């Protein structure tokens, strides 16, 4: 067989897997439930109630109990996932925990870009807002004097794409 040397993020992933952990399950010291954004937690409760994916009894629990029931604690420490989801400034703990979107004229010519910061719920809402107001409006071109509009994708499909991008982002890479 070949001998492979693991470094950096690949080594971290390997060691975590050996311990039965994932990157987002690693505990974050010096952050407590009271450091999390209560408005974001309230938004989560509202969205979870609307989706009916969580028992309403759980949603009425105190915030510390809710965080525990969501399995966002490792002993007395919050997991990285809790910080990404609910901390007002997750970048203090996770490098590059923000989104960058850009509008390209060609594959290489970037016309403009935006960075979206904050907890993941805020990132989804701000991204959707920017895409619907700034980026999709930019899909207008002209052929001679005829104005051609690129019609936006359905909002639900766009939200699904944004959620998938956020969920599948490799936060451990620092990119």
């Amino acid at each position: 067989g070949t001998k492979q040397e693991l470094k950096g993020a690949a080594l971290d992933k390997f060691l975590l897997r050996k311990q039965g952990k994932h990157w987002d399950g690693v505990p974050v010291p010096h952050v407590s439930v009271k450091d999390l954004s209560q408005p974001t937690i309230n938004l989560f409760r509202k969205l979870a109630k609307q989706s009916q994916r969580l028992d309403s009894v759980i949603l009425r629990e105190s915030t510390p109990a809710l965080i525990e029931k969501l399995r966002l604690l490792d002993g007395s420490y919050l997991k990285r996932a809790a910080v990404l989801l609910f901390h007002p400034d997750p970048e203090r703990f996770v490098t590059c925990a923000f989104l960058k979107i850009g509008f390209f004229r060609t594959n290489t010519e970037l016309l403009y870009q935006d960075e979206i910061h904050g907890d993941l719920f805020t990132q989804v809402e701000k991204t959707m807002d920017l895409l619907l107001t700034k980026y999709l409006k930019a899909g207008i071109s002209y052929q001679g004097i005829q104005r051609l509009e690129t019609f936006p994708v359905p909002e639900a499909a766009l939200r699904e794409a944004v959620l998938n991008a956020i969920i599948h982002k490799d936060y451990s890479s620092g990119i």
Side-chain angles (χ1 to χ4, degrees), residues 40-59:
T40 302
I41 292 168
N42 294 340
L43 173 65
F44 169 78
R45 289 178 200 271
K46 183 181 140 199
L47 294 171
K49 186 177 181 186
Q50 284 172 359
S51 73
Q52 299 178 341
R53 290 188 182 180
L54 277 180
D55 191 312
S56 59
V57 174
I58 292 172
L59 296 174

Side-chain angles (χ1 to χ4, degrees), residues 62-122:
S62 69
T63 297
L66 176 65
I67 295 297
E68 189 178 339
K69 292 240 166 57
L70 292 173
R71 296 192 178 109
L72 292 174
L73 289 174
D74 183 340
S76 61
Y77 291 113
L78 288 170
K79 294 179 180 179
R80 277 185 184 143
V83 171
L84 282 171
L85 288 167
F86 300 120
H87 195 280
D89 184 16
E91 290 172 68
R92 277 182 42 204
F93 314 97
V94 180
T95 310
C96 296
F98 64 92
L99 293 179
K100 198 181 268 192
I101 48 179
F103 188 84
F104 290 83
R105 176 173 281 149
T106 65
N107 283 347
T108 55
E109 188 185 358
L110 177 67
L111 289 184
Y112 50 87
Q113 67 179 3
D114 289 280
E115 286 184 2
I116 296 116
H117 300 269
D119 63 78
L120 296 187
F121 292 94
T122 301

Side-chain angles (χ1 to χ4, degrees), residues 10-25:
L11 178 61
D12 291 345
K13 271 187 194 158
F14 173 78
L15 293 172
L16 287 170
R17 226 180 11 253
K18 284 285 198 201
Q19 299 170 41
K21 286 187 189 276
H22 293 278
W23 179 90
D24 59 354

